[in-house]
Amino acid sequence: MVDRILGLLCLALAAAMAWAAHGYAAEISYEPVGPRAFPTLLAAVLALVGLWLAVRPGRAVAGEGAGAHAAWLPLGLTVGAMLAYALLFQWLGFVLATALMTVPVGRSFGGRPLPLLATGLGLGLGLFFLFDKVFDVILPTGLLSFVLGGR
């Protein structure tokens, strides 16, 4: 049940992200894909994951029954991680914010902290260079501006 609620929340957040990104436009076209590409892509991925969580066949959740409140912990971790990501994105930068967000989200799905952090760093760096070098989309470098080039 918690997975379905998380899926519906992801769908709602994806719809809000897509709606907000629709109005993004650069006054001067300096990027080939424009400023709405990244949030729209994130919204699409989030919507697909949310849809999968909402409609996949049910499975037994540890903690159902007398201790059902334990099943809400993954949902709380995921929502808290998304809020922290939004608040710290500019200051930490894309790479660090993405790496740090993968840990609580991955833990909520049963992952181990160290592999999650390594995966998050790889994902953050890979996506940063993909968007920076291939799509020419400027992402915040935050605390890593001295390594990645300040922007």
Side-chain angles (χ1 to χ4, degrees):
M1 181 63 158
V2 174
D3 288 351
R4 296 189 197 296
I5 294 171
L6 176 61
L8 293 175
L9 286 173
C10 287
L11 283 170
L13 180 62
M17 286 172 59
W19 181 75
H22 181 69
Y24 293 171
E27 292 180 24
I28 300 172
S29 181
Y30 57 92
E31 295 175 346
V33 293
R36 73 175 68 123
F38 186 69
T40 303
L41 178 64
L42 280 180
V45 170
L46 186 60
L48 287 173
V49 170
L51 186 62
W52 178 74
L53 284 172
V55 300
R56 73 181 177 158
R59 62 180 169 85
V61 177
E64 280 188 335
H69 67 280
W72 289 93
L73 183 61
L75 179 61
L77 278 173
T78 303
V79 171
M82 288 190 303
L83 289 173
Y85 186 75
L87 294 172
L88 298 174
F89 181 76
Q90 197 70 27
W91 182 69
L92 287 177
F94 176 80
V95 174
L96 287 179
T98 300
L100 292 176
M101 186 181 85
T102 59
V103 175
V105 172
R107 290 288 296 155
S108 70
F109 288 96
R112 293 177 310 177
L114 200 53
L116 288 169
L117 187 59
T119 301
L121 278 171
L123 181 69
L125 283 169
L127 287 174
F128 179 83
F129 286 113
L130 175 72
F131 276 89
D132 188 56
K133 302 299 183 201
V134 177
F135 298 139
D136 202 25
V137 173
I138 297 172
L139 294 173
T141 54
L143 297 176
L144 295 179
S145 61
F146 63 95
V147 175
L148 301 172
R151 291 186 198 204

